[in-house]
Amino acid sequence: MSEHVDHRRRRFLGAAATTIAAASLGAIRPARAQSGKTRQDPPSKPGSHTSLGPIRQIDAGLLNIGYAEVGPADGTVVILLHGWPYDIHSYVDVAPSLASAGYRAIVPYLRGYGTTRFLSSDTFRNGQQVAVALDVIALMDALRIKKAIVAGFDWGSRTAGILAALWPQRCKGLVAVSGYLITNRKANLQPLPPAAELGWWYQYYFSTERGRLGYTNNRRDFNKLIWKSASPKWDFDDATFDRTATSFENPDHVSIVIHNYRWRLSLAEGEPRYDAPEEKLSQAPVITVPAITIASDFDGAAADGKGYAKKFSGKYSHRVLNGIGHNVPQEAPDAFAKAVVEVDGFTA
């Protein structure tokens, strides 16, 4: 959830701080599914569903990936990517809505979550951004998917943005909560004012062995605290949290999370195999595929999107969801699903 830090950085390093008015999603223009059927606006309501159905498993790259799939096999593919500390249940209402609109929605557990496992015990448990993105490319290859709409929030938004930036030929469109989140490790070395640094508390904690042990022993309570702080207006119940919390019992979860945050702060190294794509990302590449960015209360002064609007050169739209926290797809599934349908229409 370092996106909290990223936005504080933008605020203190020059992002415009303006008062944000609610952005109307407007009516979604119907698009045509591959089957030729007209898609309708996907109706959805928070908490309408509790399950994405049976979890499938497939070997892909370094992993055996667990994923849910709903919708027609010949529908336009949408890959929905979760973040930390969340899991595929962030899309428990979005995916069925998209399926009913004719899309094939695929929701994978990221490395270190749920039923996703490394194929080899010798593989380094790497949480750096390119490694996670390449997992998705491997999944697409394993499922013989040439091109998909990619959408996500938190780690998922960053991953989707990387896919769009480095492999645009694989991306039909992008929906990115909190905008352009590609990590620049050099920029992350610069100190911020004390009020902004306060938002980094969990990253500093994770930078210590005390933090690793604390997260290992208390990850359930730790992550519930993050949910509450990142989405203070989201009135989720214990059952909703418990469905996701089982994903944190993955044997690689702690290692992936700790390495992810230490790597971002240059306190841990990545792997040489990823040096070339990471160098490209360090140049903050412009995203050329059609894109919609979504901001919420979580984004604070950066919610207007002005700080990253120029990073999208294709057809682009931005909207703000007032009263919504960080877990946008689970808190506002209708708005998220509409964004997917709309970005698909950008290329119709």
Side-chain angles (χ1 to χ4, degrees):
M1 196 196 67
S2 66
E3 291 59 43
H4 180 61
V5 174
D6 294 337
H7 291 310
R8 287 177 181 268
R9 178 175 297 282
R10 283 198 283 266
R11 180 174 61 187
F12 284 95
L13 298 182
T18 57
T19 301
I20 307 302
S24 173
L25 287 171
I28 302 298
R29 296 187 303 275
R32 293 284 177 180
Q34 291 177 4
S35 62
K37 296 180 181 180
T38 300
R39 293 179 182 142
Q40 304 297 324
D41 288 2
S44 53
K45 180 181 179 181
S48 296
H49 303 84
T50 59
S51 172
L52 288 167
I55 300 302
R56 308 181 186 192
Q57 300 290 144
I58 191 168
D59 287 351
L62 299 173
L63 304 171
N64 177 266
I65 295 178
Y67 68 99
E69 179 175 339
V70 294
D74 64 344
T76 296
V77 179
V78 182
I79 298 178
L80 303 169
L81 301 169
H82 68 82
W84 174 86
Y86 307 94
D87 80 334
I88 64 172
H89 290 89
S90 290
Y91 298 100
V92 74
D93 294 316
V94 170
S97 294
L98 291 173
S100 69
Y103 291 89
R104 179 187 176 192
I106 295 173
V107 196
Y109 285 110
L110 299 186
R111 55 171 59 193
Y113 295 81
T115 62
T116 291
R117 298 288 189 274
F118 284 88
L119 294 173
S120 172
S121 60
D122 295 329
T123 302
F124 175 50
R125 272 38 178 177
N126 186 344
Q128 74 181 100
Q129 60 184 357
V130 165
V132 178
L134 281 169
D135 291 342
V136 181
I137 293 293
L139 176 63
M140 292 176 69
D141 290 344
L143 294 176
R144 299 182 180 179
I145 296 169
K146 292 183 178 180
K147 203 167 190 176
I149 298 169
V150 289
F153 75 107
D154 195 81
W155 291 19
S157 180
R158 175 177 293 107
T159 303
I162 291 170
L163 294 170
L166 296 185
W167 297 279
Q169 72 278 12
R170 307 298 297 270
C171 299
K172 189 171 189 278
L174 167 69
V175 175
V177 172
S178 300
Y180 191 92
L181 296 178
I182 295 173
T183 296
N184 184 320
R185 294 213 296 171
K186 184 177 180 180
N188 280 355
L189 292 175
Q190 299 304 310
L192 300 176
E197 295 286 13
L198 182 64
W200 292 66
W201 73 269
Y202 59 91
Q203 296 202 37
Y204 292 135
Y205 185 64
F206 288 163
S207 297
T208 68
E209 287 308 299
R210 176 188 175 94
R212 176 191 285 273
L213 180 60
Y215 190 58
T216 300
N217 293 342
N218 305 301
R219 72 191 81 169
R220 190 181 188 90
D221 289 341
F222 192 105
N223 291 342
K224 196 168 189 177
L225 174 63
I226 295 294
W227 277 36
K228 291 178 178 178
S229 62
S231 300
K233 297 180 182 179
W234 182 27
D235 186 23
F236 63 88
D237 57 20
D238 288 341
T240 297
F241 178 76
D242 290 345
R243 280 189 288 272
T244 288
T246 59
S247 292
F248 311 143
E249 299 307 314
N250 182 296
D252 302 307
H253 179 75
V254 173
S255 294
I256 293 297
V257 170
I258 296 298
H259 183 262
N260 179 286
Y261 288 109
R262 290 184 182 182
W263 177 85
R264 294 190 203 184
L265 293 177
S266 298
L267 298 174
E269 293 302 316
E271 294 179 88
R273 72 171 89 182
Y274 303 125
D275 285 352
E278 288 290 0
E279 175 59 28
K280 292 180 181 179
L281 293 178
S282 72
Q283 304 302 314
V286 171
I287 292 174
T288 60
V289 306
I292 291 176
T293 53
I294 301 174
S296 67
D297 289 355
F298 177 84
D299 298 293
D304 61 3
K306 292 180 180 179
Y308 49 75
K310 292 183 179 179
K311 303 307 295 182
F312 300 91
S313 65
K315 189 168 183 181
Y316 172 72
S317 178
H318 177 73
R319 66 280 317 268
V320 181
L321 304 179
N322 286 343
I324 300 299
H326 192 39
N327 188 357
V328 170
Q330 199 162 2
E331 296 179 66
D334 188 55
F336 193 94
K338 284 182 178 179
V340 171
V341 174
E342 184 176 337
V343 84
D344 185 23
F346 283 1
T347 57

